[in-house]
Amino acid sequence: MIEEGSKSGKATVEKRQLFMEMRAQNFDVIRLSTYRTACKLRFVQKRCNLHLVDVWNMIEAFRDNGLSTLDHNAEINVSRLETILSSIFYQLNKRLPTTHQINVEQSIGLLLNFMVATYDSEGHGKLTVFSMKSMLATMCGGKIVDKLRYIFSQISDSGGTMVFAKFDQFLREVLKLPTAVFEGPSFGYTEHSVRTCFPQQKILLNTFLDVMMADPPPQCLVWLPLMHRLANVENVFHPVECSYCRSESMMGFRYRCQQCHGYQLCQNCFWRGHASGPHSNQHQMKEHSSWKSPAKKLSHAISKSLGCVPIGEPPHPVFPEAAERPQDLAHPTQLKPVSNNMNDTILMSSGAPTSTKSSTLESPSRLDEEHRLIARYAARLAAEASNSTQCPPTDLSFNFDANKQQRQLIAELENKNREILQEIQRLRLEHEQASQPTPEKAQQNPTLLAELRLLRHRKDELEKRMSALQESRRELMVQLEGLMRLLKDEEQKAAQTGGSPHSSPSHSASCTMPMPIRSTSAGSTPTHTPQDCLAGVGDDVLDAFSQGVPRNLRNDLLVAADSITNTMSSLVKELHSVDDGLEDEEVNMRNGRDKVSAPRHYGNRHSTPSF
């Protein structure tokens, strides 16, 4: 029970997270409801990473998840909706570079909770297919003309004419978005919304686009084109000072008063209703989404007066009015291109018998540039071949020449693609050859290699032992020097008192004093008796430090030092003999049939340590 309670509490927090973050942005201070609604929906779009998903990628996701064959009024549960959103965002991460990857789980959670809160306020746990398509097609990224063309394909019949009942259903669904961000009183649905948008009886595609992209657009959807304009001007820079906040530059929109000369406001000041001096909020303001220098404005005005610049440009390209047969998107080469503008557009139908006209982009994850070109020209050839039977005989020669040129272009592109594939294969083989071992390494004698490694290991041990003995010898010499200084002092005292230095108690104590010598097998310096420290050095040294009879200890210490020096010399000779054997083995391996590569050097092998 505690676990279930914690899960429900977490779900409640996740549902409120997006709305809490939106309230923290303080959008409610914007005095105009149109800008306020557009800013809120733009925030939701960016927070859920929907601005990174193009409208054609969204249509492809609908088709891949089987939504194209479902009726608009069919219901899907929340779990399937989550699966669809997962496929959308995981495919998005595949298209993005590794440095710009998004948090897929967080994006799915935020968007799913927003959609459920918007379209399932009663808590049934189900959404209609048309609700989901309308919301995602409206809130995703891409051009507004592409979105409107897809929406028209969903609300029109097979003859390419808009069905008013379907448009009314679309308005009901899309106007739930402003209501979800608490702007329902300004942009709520009414029964007269359809007729206020389209008083005509027959609405075709171009008429639909003219009305929706007009200036101003229909009042109930005025926030939709503004949201796209906000996305386009987010990074626009205006090198102009704001007349209210005195900011030396502006980002986004710029507003210029039509009555006050030189009075300009940044978007934050204008949205909040700020005014100063003789300017008033009642004055008419002109919105600018770009910056033009005075010289550019003058040249544009001169060109316009001379007729070099068209007075008015259409807000969208003109599309054919006749309805086209929906294409089978399972075979990209069968797509029929529509070339009524500079970019070849490809029809992407949602599967329903509607008048979907075309699509501007293919999915970049499917084909590379060469394959897309080949598919386009192959589709154009197929379309022209099907229409060639209906052409008059006078056009046969023209069509034949055009087909010949297109076939030549396709052949060139295929040859280029073939060369690229061969180059990729060659680079892959070179990489594999570089990563494989060389023949010399493969032909090495394992016995000789084992002996070589053993000799190197023995040489390393001898070098370590020699360095340890050198350190011990240095410490012994220091101690011997101290003992000799003590002996000298005792002799001087004995000479002054007339006694013997060997019978002095202090001297006998110094002879039996333990001497600290570093052990060669450990890094510590334990204290041993003279017999343990000088084991293996020489009999004379042992006699000098073990016997209690009076002797000349100066001579004994010198004998001990000579014995240590002889031991070090023998160790150096042994090291040189091992080093010579190692070099002989390397020479034999180098000159033999195995061709063993030269071993690594360990410094200057013939250098003799200085004592």
Side-chain angles (χ1 to χ4, degrees):
M1 296 296 292
I2 297 176
E3 231 182 278
E4 293 179 359
S6 62
K7 288 183 179 180
S8 61
K10 183 179 179 182
T12 305
V13 172
E14 290 179 351
K15 287 182 179 180
R16 297 177 179 176
Q17 179 181 356
L18 186 62
F19 297 102
M20 293 172 63
E21 293 180 1
M22 185 178 63
R23 287 184 182 276
Q25 299 296 320
N26 201 19
F27 291 123
D28 292 331
V29 299
I30 302 176
R31 64 188 181 95
L32 300 176
S33 61
T34 304
Y35 288 97
R36 190 168 60 245
T37 305
C39 288
K40 289 181 179 180
L41 292 177
R42 175 63 178 169
F43 172 79
V44 174
Q45 182 190 46
K46 294 180 66 175
R47 189 65 182 86
C48 298
N49 290 314
L50 278 175
H51 66 295
L52 301 175
V53 184
D54 191 80
V55 60
W56 303 115
N57 300 129
M58 193 67 73
I59 298 172
E60 183 181 6
F62 294 161
R63 187 179 64 250
D64 293 341
N65 287 276
L67 299 179
S68 302
T69 58
L70 296 178
D71 186 75
H72 284 175
N73 295 323
E75 293 183 342
I76 57 175
N77 54 24
V78 177
S79 60
R80 185 174 181 186
L81 175 61
E82 185 176 3
T83 303
I84 297 170
L85 298 182
S86 300
S87 66
I88 292 172
F89 286 113
Y90 278 112
Q91 288 296 326
L92 170 63
N93 251 0
K94 292 180 180 179
R95 296 189 297 269
L96 293 176
T98 55
T99 55
H100 293 75
Q101 297 286 302
I102 65 170
N103 189 340
V104 175
E105 298 297 332
Q106 185 182 25
S107 300
I108 294 172
L110 291 176
L111 182 57
L112 180 65
N113 291 326
F114 179 74
M115 294 182 67
V116 171
T118 303
Y119 294 100
D120 187 31
S121 58
E122 298 180 359
H124 297 302
K126 293 182 180 181
L127 280 76
T128 63
V129 174
F130 190 69
S131 299
M132 189 194 65
K133 284 185 176 181
S134 301
M135 185 271 175
L136 293 178
T138 304
M139 294 296 291
C140 68
K143 298 180 180 179
I144 185 172
V145 63
D146 297 331
K147 293 183 180 182
L148 293 175
R149 289 173 63 192
Y150 173 72
I151 291 170
F152 185 82
S153 70
Q154 302 297 303
I155 62 175
S156 58
D157 56 16
S158 58
T161 304
M162 188 187 77
V163 180
F164 281 88
K166 292 184 178 181
F167 180 70
D168 182 73
Q169 185 181 3
F170 167 72
L171 285 182
R172 290 175 184 269
E173 301 299 337
V174 78
L175 290 180
K176 290 180 181 179
L177 294 173
T179 305
V181 294
F182 314 107
E183 297 296 333
S186 301
F187 300 103
Y189 171 80
T190 61
E191 297 179 356
H192 305 287
S193 299
V194 177
R195 288 302 174 185
T196 56
C197 295
F198 299 103
Q200 304 92 335
Q201 295 296 327
K202 185 178 181 180
I203 306 299
L204 300 178
L205 174 61
N206 290 319
T207 308
F208 178 79
L209 295 178
D210 289 338
V211 172
M212 300 300 290
M213 299 183 66
D215 188 15
Q219 181 61 31
C220 59
L221 295 173
V222 68
W223 51 269
L224 181 58
L226 179 58
M227 186 176 68
H228 286 79
R229 296 207 311 271
L230 280 174
N232 294 330
V233 302
E234 281 182 349
N235 299 318
V236 175
F237 175 77
H238 304 271
V240 182
E241 182 183 12
C242 178
S243 300
Y244 182 84
C245 65
R246 299 302 176 183
S247 176
E248 296 181 356
S249 59
M250 303 181 189
M251 294 294 291
F253 287 119
R254 174 171 55 91
Y255 297 89
R256 183 166 56 87
C257 182
Q258 301 297 298
Q259 299 181 20
C260 304
H261 178 70
Y263 194 90
Q264 302 189 77
L265 293 175
C266 62
Q267 65 178 18
N268 291 331
C269 294
F270 175 75
W271 290 352
R272 286 157 177 78
H274 294 161
S276 61
H279 177 71
S280 171
N281 289 330
Q282 305 300 323
H283 291 180
Q284 185 179 2
M285 303 290 287
K286 186 176 181 180
E287 183 181 272
H288 295 272
S289 58
S290 62
W291 163 257
K292 292 182 181 179
S293 62
K296 193 172 182 180
K297 289 181 181 179
L298 179 62
S299 63
H300 183 78
I302 294 175
S303 301
K304 188 175 180 180
S305 62
L306 296 176
C308 301
V309 178
I311 301 299
E313 297 181 357
H316 62 84
V318 180
F319 300 98
E321 299 290 354
E324 298 182 359
R325 179 175 58 85
Q327 302 289 325
D328 183 11
L329 295 178
H331 304 282
T333 57
Q334 298 179 2
L335 297 178
K336 180 178 179 182
V338 180
S339 57
N340 46 10
N341 54 8
M342 295 301 293
N343 296 325
D344 286 340
T345 56
I346 300 176
L347 176 64
M348 296 188 69
S349 172
S350 63
T354 59
S355 62
T356 305
K357 295 299 185 291
S358 61
S359 156
T360 56
L361 294 173
E362 275 186 320
S363 174
S365 62
R366 290 221 171 182
L367 299 171
D368 53 10
E369 187 65 27
E370 290 84 0
H371 291 167
R372 285 202 298 271
L373 289 173
I374 293 172
R376 288 179 181 177
Y377 286 110
R380 180 178 294 177
L381 286 177
E384 292 179 356
S386 63
N387 295 330
S388 61
T389 57
Q390 303 176 1
C391 294
T394 56
D395 297 333
L396 290 178
S397 59
F398 175 77
N399 291 336
F400 178 77
D401 294 338
N403 292 339
K404 184 178 179 180
Q405 293 178 358
Q406 291 168 355
R407 283 195 296 270
Q408 290 177 356
L409 180 59
I410 292 173
E412 293 177 0
L413 292 174
E414 289 178 347
N415 292 332
K416 182 179 178 182
N417 190 29
R418 194 178 299 110
E419 291 176 0
I420 292 174
L421 292 176
Q422 291 176 357
E423 182 68 16
I424 292 174
Q425 184 67 19
R426 185 183 64 80
L427 294 174
R428 186 183 291 111
L429 291 176
E430 290 182 358
H431 178 70
E432 292 177 356
Q433 292 176 0
S435 61
Q436 291 178 355
T438 59
E440 294 182 357
K441 295 180 181 179
Q443 296 177 359
Q444 286 179 354
N445 191 339
T447 305
L448 293 178
L449 289 177
E451 294 179 357
L452 183 62
R453 282 194 294 268
L454 184 61
L455 288 174
R456 287 174 178 170
H457 182 67
R458 177 63 177 167
K459 180 177 178 294
D460 293 337
E461 290 181 352
L462 291 175
E463 286 179 349
K464 292 179 181 179
R465 184 180 175 188
M466 185 180 70
S467 61
L469 288 176
Q470 284 179 347
E471 185 66 24
S472 299
R473 178 181 175 275
R474 189 178 299 108
E475 293 179 359
L476 279 174
M477 296 299 292
V478 172
Q479 294 171 2
L480 289 173
E481 184 179 359
L483 291 174
M484 292 177 68
R485 190 180 298 110
L486 291 174
L487 289 175
K488 185 176 180 181
D489 295 340
E490 292 296 331
E491 289 179 356
Q492 291 178 356
K493 291 179 181 179
Q496 294 175 359
T497 57
S500 176
H502 295 288
S503 61
S504 174
S506 62
H507 179 67
S508 62
S510 64
C511 292
T512 60
M513 180 179 61
M515 301 174 61
I517 300 177
R518 177 170 296 182
S519 174
T520 58
S521 61
S524 60
T525 56
T527 304
H528 303 282
T529 60
Q531 291 84 354
D532 295 333
C533 299
L534 301 175
V537 177
D539 295 336
D540 295 335
V541 178
L542 290 175
D543 294 339
F545 286 98
S546 61
Q547 296 175 3
V549 297
R551 296 184 58 178
N552 190 353
L553 288 181
R554 178 179 294 179
N555 295 332
D556 295 339
L557 292 173
L558 292 175
V559 169
D562 292 338
S563 178
I564 293 174
T565 303
N566 294 333
T567 304
M568 293 294 296
S569 300
S570 63
L571 179 62
V572 171
K573 290 179 181 180
E574 184 181 358
L575 180 62
H576 286 173
S577 63
V578 172
D579 202 3
D580 293 337
L582 181 61
E583 289 183 352
D584 294 340
E585 290 291 339
E586 293 176 353
V587 171
N588 293 335
M589 292 175 68
R590 189 184 301 109
N591 296 331
R593 61 183 179 180
D594 295 329
K595 298 181 181 180
V596 180
S597 59
R600 55 192 177 94
H601 297 283
Y602 293 88
N604 189 2
R605 300 187 185 89
H606 300 286
S607 61
T608 305
S610 59
F611 294 115

